[in-house]
Each structure stands twice: as C-alpha cells, then as structure tokens.
Amino acid sequence: MQRLMINKLLAWKESSFRKPLILKGIRQVGKTWLLKEFGKLYYENTAYFNFGENIDYKQFFETTKDVKRILRNLMLVSGQKIEPHKTLIIFDEIQDCPNVINSLKYFCENAPEYHIACACSQLGIALAMSSSFPVGKVKLLHVNPMTFTEFLLANKDDNLVEYLNSIDILEPIPQTFFNKLCEKLKMYYVTGGMPEPIQRWSELNDVEAMQESLSSIITAYERDFAKHPNISEYPKISMIFRSIPSQLARENKKFLFNVVKNGARAREYKNALQWLVDAGIVHKIYRSSSPSFPLIAYDDKSAFKIYLADVGLLRALFKLPTFAFGEKNRLFTEFKGALTENFVLQSLVCQSDLTPRYWSQNNPSYEVDFLIQKEDDIYPIEVKADNNTKATSLKKFKELFSDKVKLRIRYSLDNLKLEGDVLNIPLFMIDYTDSLIKLALNKLDKS
C-alpha cells in the first residue's frame, strides 16, 4: 500500500532542523508499518525496538541519560547495527515508557546525527504531555486513517488518481470517471480507512475477512477503555462509544448525554467523553457562534457533535451489512446521511491542523454542517448524501454573513461545478478541496 504520509517523513529526514519524531494516532492506524516502510525506502538499514514486546529495553533508559551509551547497549542486546545518518532508529510502543519519551530531549540536544522515529498511541501522548514530555524537542506528526485517495492507490486504481490530479478547471467530470469513482467511494464506506481492512479487501477480495478485521479493531478499542486510571469510568466510556450510531442517526446530530443513558448528566459523563477524544477514537466538533477569524475563538462549549475516527468502523457499529453496497445510494443516504457526514469530517480533519466547527440557529432552525478555516478565511460547508443539492441553510448563512463569505462549499453526489459562489464538490473529490477552492476563487475574481 501507499501512504501519502511518506512525503512528510521524507521532509523530516531532509530537514536541517530535524528533531526526534513521534508518530501518534489511534490503534491499528498504521504507524509502525509507516516507519518500517520509510526505513526500507530511504535508509541503508533500520534498527527497530518495540518496548511493548521487549520490556528489557526499558532498563537502558532508567540508569543513564547518555544517549550514545543507550544506543550502544541497545545494539549489544539486539545485534542491530546503528550508524549516524544511515540508520533509521524506530522506538515503538513508547506510550508506557516515560524514560524513553524523556530521553528524546537528549537525543535532540546531544546526538542530532541519529535519526530517531517513534510510534505512540494518541492517548499515550495526551497522558505524557502532563508529565515529563520534552516539549519543543520533538516533532509530532498525526497519522490518520487512509484517505479515499490512498484507498484508490491500494486498490491499484492509479489511473483514477492520475485523472483527479490532472483536474485544473471547474467543469463536470466525464460520466465514465464519475460513475467509477462513486462505486469506489461506496466500497470505501464499507472498508473504511484502517489499513488492515483495506488490505484484506484489496489483496484478497475477502469480505468476511474485512468484516472480521473491523470487528477486531472495535473489540480492541473496547478493551482499551478499561485502561482508564479510574475504573469507574469504564462503563461510561463504553456507553458513549456505543451511543455514537444513535447520536448520528438523528436529524439534529448535536450530542445529547441522555441518548447515552436516560437521565445521564454532562458532569457525570464528560470525563469519559474526553477520554475518547484524547484517545483519538472520536472527533469533537464545537458549534461556532460566529464565522469569524480565528474560528477557535467563537466556540460554544455547550453544544457539540461527535464523529467516529473512521467511516468503516462507524458502518460496522451501525451493523449495516456489506450488501448495502449494491443498493443504489443506500450507503450514502442511510441513517440520515450519517456515514456521509462522518466521511466528510474524517477527510477534512486530514487537511487542516484546526478541527472543523459547525454553525446553527433556532427559530427558525438552520444548520451548516461544517465550518473550515483556510488561512484567514472561513468557508461554510453543507453535506448532501445524494444529488439533491437544495441548500437552504447555506443560503441563510450567506444572508446573515454576506461580508464574511467569499465562497460556500457543498459536498454531494452531484457533479463538479461552480454556481455563483457555491462550489459543488463531488464527495469522491474531497481530498482535493484546497485546490478546488483556489480554482473557484480565481474564477470568481475574474468574473
């Protein structure tokens, strides 16, 4: 498989300001594979140390902060070769090893000639940040589930990716490409973006194995819930996790604690929800009181939605069978478009350091699904699960904030087009949002 993150790793390798690297992300998102593949492609050799599998490695970080002595001991005990600039040194499963995490400060300061790359769970990083985390001495990169573009590459659909990369004008996609891409997107809804389910589908065409893989990932996450330091939070975390399908299947997807459990109060469950956010298993999207810059300054902390990290995991939680793939647009529209909205959010998160927000008002009721910030501009987004592109909330948003809106965006199953200041992006082109926004703004400037 191909991961576009390799390009970021290469930029890290070649940087004159290189620091030890930590890849963070949810369980089974492919962090270890990425580092091993990167080492194979761009280094003479790779020295791999897994602190979860071999606890004896930890002792070398407990007695000294001399990084060259640490490396010498690791070489002796493992028989692996380590050379400055030529070897990628991988420290895996470091989330439970505070001395290893702390040692990265000394690698940065005293041995920059050694290329250190680590893999750590997102929750592990969140917990380490509160203790002896070497702030400013490491580079953090987040690994997301595979994008739809990466899914196409994994399925040997390079020709479709090449076509999408070639688009430099806002005109309808030819039907032969459009239909193929819609079918591929349906399959992505089925597998999701976690590497193992994609691999089992793309290499084996084994639906049962793919389903089994998704189920095992969900089971692994649920086992992790018990790792909360306060064991009383475990059932609450589990109930919130299992309530996600119910939360997203409602017309108004604002998170409600009483959907988790009848009579549940926010103060009783907020820590459990925050654990899921810290672990990266869910994304928390705040309501914005105003589409102003900076977006983060206008968060309404009392209103938010939550989405799952991966659309395939959400489908599995919904218990939606794979044969829905063959039922026209059912995968896109089922559960009030919950899968589609989750897919859009999951894809947007990969494209920005700032998590999207949403906007709504009552009496009368209007809601814009997402707001994204690009540089100093805010763009409202509406998500349509089919080719019905009537967008009353986008229209109302324009009426209320006309001086702040350069461009409105709609994701749907309609074709690529610019109608006035509304850019309609086919759902399968979501990874190209930035370039399409630039094309649209250029066209608007010239008109």
Side-chain angles (χ1 to χ4, degrees), residues 34-300:
L34 259 171
L35 291 179
K36 287 183 174 181
E37 182 72 5
F38 179 57
K40 183 169 66 176
L41 292 173
Y42 294 103
Y43 287 84
E44 290 187 14
N45 71 298
T46 299
Y48 176 77
F49 303 95
N50 188 312
F51 293 90
E53 292 178 354
N54 195 326
I55 60 175
D56 291 339
Y57 292 153
K58 298 179 185 180
Q59 63 181 309
F60 302 127
F61 295 81
E62 295 169 354
T63 57
T64 181
K65 291 181 171 59
D66 183 342
V67 295
K68 294 187 178 179
R69 181 180 164 192
I70 290 171
L71 290 178
R72 186 166 59 248
N73 289 336
L74 288 173
M75 280 191 286
L76 287 171
V77 76
S78 68
Q80 299 185 74
K81 181 181 179 182
I82 296 177
E83 294 183 283
H85 302 294
K86 297 180 181 180
T87 302
L88 178 64
I89 305 165
I90 300 175
F91 292 160
D92 202 357
E93 301 287 353
I94 65 169
Q95 57 267 14
D96 298 321
C97 310
N99 288 326
V100 177
I101 295 174
N102 184 251
S103 75
L104 300 179
K105 170 185 177 181
Y106 304 103
F107 278 104
C108 178
E109 294 175 344
N110 303 327
E113 68 273 20
Y114 290 99
H115 294 210
I116 309 288
C118 310
C120 181
S121 72
Q122 188 162 326
L123 180 63
I125 287 294
L127 295 174
M129 290 289 274
S130 63
S131 55
S132 56
F133 191 83
V135 177
K137 301 298 181 180
V138 298
K139 180 176 180 60
L140 288 168
L141 284 178
H142 185 84
V143 182
N144 293 292
M146 294 174 69
T147 64
F148 178 57
T149 300
E150 290 174 316
F151 173 80
L152 290 175
L153 293 171
N155 283 277
K156 308 297 186 292
D157 289 308
D158 302 53
N159 62 320
L160 294 178
V161 175
E162 185 177 351
Y163 171 73
L164 291 172
N165 285 333
S166 73
I167 293 174
D168 58 4
I169 188 171
L170 296 177
E171 62 182 17
I173 307 298
Q175 210 61 39
T176 182
F177 286 113
F178 192 97
N179 293 338
K180 286 181 182 177
L181 286 162
C182 281
E183 289 301 299
K184 296 294 180 180
L185 183 58
K186 282 187 193 178
M187 197 61 228
Y188 183 81
Y189 278 35
V190 171
T191 66
M194 302 301 280
E196 185 180 86
I198 289 179
Q199 184 181 39
R200 292 189 177 184
W201 169 251
S202 62
E203 294 183 5
L204 305 174
N205 285 328
D206 190 331
V207 173
E208 186 176 339
M210 179 269 295
Q211 287 277 76
E212 181 184 326
S213 177
L214 286 169
S215 296
S216 69
I217 292 172
I218 290 172
T219 300
Y221 289 168
E222 292 180 319
R223 284 200 303 266
D224 285 347
F225 299 164
K227 295 180 181 179
H228 194 288
N230 183 350
I231 195 63
S232 66
E233 295 295 305
Y234 168 64
K236 297 176 186 177
I237 296 170
S238 184
M239 282 190 286
I240 291 174
F241 180 70
R242 286 289 172 178
S243 81
I244 293 174
S246 300
Q247 302 279 358
L248 292 178
R250 295 182 299 108
E251 190 70 44
N252 179 356
K253 295 177 174 59
K254 175 186 172 183
F255 183 85
L256 298 175
F257 283 97
N258 63 13
V259 173
V260 177
K261 181 183 178 183
N262 190 31
R265 298 176 181 272
R267 67 173 180 269
E268 298 171 342
Y269 284 80
K270 65 178 182 180
N271 289 338
L273 175 58
Q274 190 58 44
W275 190 96
L276 285 167
V277 174
D278 290 342
I281 296 172
V282 303
H283 298 292
K284 189 177 186 180
I285 310 300
Y286 285 111
R287 177 185 176 275
S288 179
S289 59
S290 173
S292 302
F293 179 85
L295 196 55
I296 195 172
Y298 297 90
D299 287 350
D300 175 1

Side-chain angles (χ1 to χ4, degrees), residues 335-354:
F335 308 115
K336 296 184 170 61
L339 294 177
T340 296
E341 203 165 312
N342 202 101
F343 163 73
V344 169
L345 186 277
Q346 169 185 342
S347 302
L348 292 174
V349 164
C350 298
Q351 301 174 39
S352 174
D353 293 332
L354 181 67

